[in-house]
Amino acid sequence: MTDINTLKTELTGMVEAANDLDALESARVAALGKKGKITGLMAGLGKMAPDERKATGQALNELKNEIATLLERQEKALKKQAMEERLSTERFDVTLPVRPEPAGHIHPISQTVEEMLAIFASMGFEVREGPDIEDDFHNFTALNFPPGHPAREMQDTFFLPEDPTEEGERAKKLLRTHTSAVQIHTMMNEEPPHKIVCFGRTYRSDYDMTHTPMFHQIEGLVIDKQTHMGHLKGCLMDFARTFFDIDDLPVRFRPSFFPFTEPSAEMDIGCSRKDGGLKIGAGDDWLEILGCGMVHPNVLKNCGLDPDEYQGFAFGMGIERVAMLKYGIPDLRTFFESDTRWLNHYGFSPLDRPNRATGEK
Ligand code: PHE
């Protein structure tokens, strides 16, 4: 029995002295492992006289349980201590920014396109794209600009060398002067009904405060069997009010002319000018923001659609122009000067939400 008591003191001391999980495991093996001290003594029980065996067996079992309990307790304490140590050394401030503030900015054109697409997408429009290099057919003829018609002079076109692999008006390559050419691609290649918007670069030979040789347009086309001028007005009025975030923004439609729409109109929005400043919203003045109209029957025919069956509307808008109005940017040319000071001032944070069209403010 004294042996067992000595052993108990020895093993207890060993377990308590273990100050990490490895040392504790060694203590466990030394006491309870296959070759451990308690296991060894238990193996000797068989050679004892029955009385002695009973008493020693009982004492050994007790010791085994005590040491097991002690090991468990020590393990918990060591794990807790290890966790506390990690928590104190690996502590960090969760309120710190995850990474440094983004250095770049979203260009106002990209931002404006995002905002517009969000609005038109919420109205059910799909997005289409078309090539920057067009031909005379898609940019003019199919859009009801007859050859030699003075309307072609409305836009100062950049012509490219003829394409020897094509014939006639399709050989006459040019940089598209408007996104209306995408209407033709869509109507010729897809089955009606159509409800699409497209955006992209457009080119005209012009350069001053309000004109650059390259600029951006967004174009919309709705074709089905019922769409009428009322739909056009409602759609564009909703668009303008959402885009400028002014619920009672006045809009008006003025008769205009485009070869590819009949009737044609230009849409103005209300504004006021005071002390040289311009404010969008109900006021005593108007600003033109887009061209629109009912798609001309000739355009439908040119694309293989029967104008007695199909009809619809189209609109086109300069993206820079409305971006300048919305964000108070005075000079169009600055959009393309790649001046980072300008971009830092007029650009947008990549983490900003566009506008309420996405359902969030
Ligand atoms: N393409 C015209 C322009 O560039 C805009 C427009 C598009 C007008 C569609 C009517 C319909 O000025």
Side-chain angles (χ1 to χ4, degrees):
M1 283 299 165
T2 33
D3 281 358
I4 292 184
N5 281 336
T6 323
L7 182 60
K8 181 175 169 178
T9 321
E10 185 194 332
L11 292 179
T12 312
M14 208 160 86
V15 172
E16 281 172 350
N19 51 11
D20 61 37
L21 289 169
D22 283 345
L24 190 67
E25 177 59 11
S26 311
R28 191 191 64 78
V29 173
L32 306 175
K34 265 193 204 150
K35 293 181 184 156
K37 298 223 160 137
I38 299 180
T39 324
L41 287 178
M42 282 189 154
L45 287 175
K47 288 182 208 131
M48 291 181 187
D51 279 357
E52 196 191 357
R53 186 192 308 154
K54 195 174 167 210
T56 315
Q58 230 170 30
L60 280 176
N61 261 333
E62 263 167 41
L63 176 61
K64 189 178 151 190
N65 290 341
E66 271 173 49
I67 296 296
T69 315
L70 194 61
L71 279 166
E72 215 173 287
R73 205 183 311 143
Q74 187 72 355
E75 187 182 336
K76 267 195 201 146
L78 285 174
K79 281 192 173 156
K80 187 163 171 239
Q81 186 188 325
M83 178 60 85
E84 272 163 11
E85 243 171 64
R86 272 191 67 190
L87 285 177
S88 67
T89 51
E90 292 177 14
R91 181 182 303 243
F92 59 87
D93 183 352
V94 290
T95 63
L96 286 174
V98 185
R99 47 179 179 261
E101 281 292 296
H105 284 90
I106 304 284
H107 195 282
I109 291 291
S110 308
Q111 172 79 15
T112 307
V113 167
E114 280 295 312
E115 294 173 7
M116 291 179 164
L117 291 186
I119 297 171
F120 286 117
S122 76
M123 296 180 181
F125 283 79
E126 292 179 13
V127 176
R128 292 291 179 273
E129 277 179 291
D132 287 20
I133 297 179
E134 273 296 356
D135 55 41
D136 195 87
F137 173 76
H138 289 90
N139 197 79
F140 291 126
T141 308
L143 284 162
N144 199 35
F145 290 76
H149 191 280
R152 289 182 186 231
E153 311 298 314
M154 278 164 69
Q155 305 171 350
D156 300 299
T157 312
F158 288 112
F159 286 97
L160 300 172
E162 293 221 349
D163 181 350
T165 64
E166 303 260 18
E167 276 177 22
E169 11 179 64
R170 292 185 198 249
K172 277 201 202 157
K173 296 287 179 190
L174 47 87
L175 294 176
R176 67 176 174 195
T177 58
H178 51 183
T179 40
S180 300
V182 183
Q183 290 185 29
I184 304 301
H185 288 288
T186 306
M187 285 192 276
M188 291 186 85
N189 297 325
E190 295 180 34
E191 289 300 315
H194 303 291
K195 193 169 181 186
I196 59 119
V197 278
C198 69
F199 66 92
R201 294 181 175 173
T202 46
Y203 307 82
R204 294 180 199 177
S205 178
D206 221 344
Y207 188 69
D208 60 32
M209 269 273 280
T210 51
H211 297 90
T212 48
M214 188 282 293
F215 59 104
H216 297 75
Q217 282 192 340
I218 184 159
E219 180 100 8
L221 173 73
V222 178
I223 299 286
D224 57 26
K225 294 181 179 174
Q226 260 109 36
T227 294
H228 53 69
M229 194 88 185
H231 296 120
L232 174 156
K233 290 175 83 172
C235 168
L236 294 176
M237 188 176 76
D238 276 358
F239 163 77
R241 292 181 170 173
T242 312
F243 179 75
F244 289 103
D245 205 358
I246 303 175
D247 289 334
D248 61 351
L249 178 66
V251 300
R252 74 174 183 190
F253 290 81
R254 265 181 304 102
S256 183
F257 172 78
F258 301 101
F260 37 93
T261 45
E262 182 56 37
S264 302
E266 275 172 331
M267 186 172 99
D268 296 342
I269 54 172
C271 70
S272 50
R273 293 170 213 265
K274 259 190 226 123
D275 313 320
L278 173 72
K279 194 168 169 284
I280 309 246
D284 51 8
D285 210 346
W286 297 95
L287 262 174
E288 182 234 311
I289 64 161
L290 58 82
C292 56
M294 299 304 293
V295 176
H296 196 292
N298 287 350
V299 176
L300 296 169
K301 270 189 236 160
N302 291 341
C303 297
L305 293 179
D306 178 358
D308 290 330
E309 196 182 356
Y310 287 104
Q311 59 184 28
F313 66 83
F315 57 89
M317 178 172 20
I319 295 175
E320 285 81 357
R321 181 170 167 75
V322 287
M324 286 164 80
L325 293 173
K326 182 166 177 179
Y327 295 114
I329 306 174
D331 189 332
L332 172 63
R333 292 168 294 195
T334 55
F335 276 76
F336 310 114
E337 282 171 354
S338 300
D339 185 333
T340 50
R341 293 166 306 175
W342 183 89
L343 195 55
N344 286 342
H345 182 76
Y346 287 112
F348 294 83
S349 157
L351 301 176
D352 271 358
R353 298 277 175 171
N355 60 1
R356 68 172 171 167
T358 56
E360 292 176 55
K361 271 226 168 183

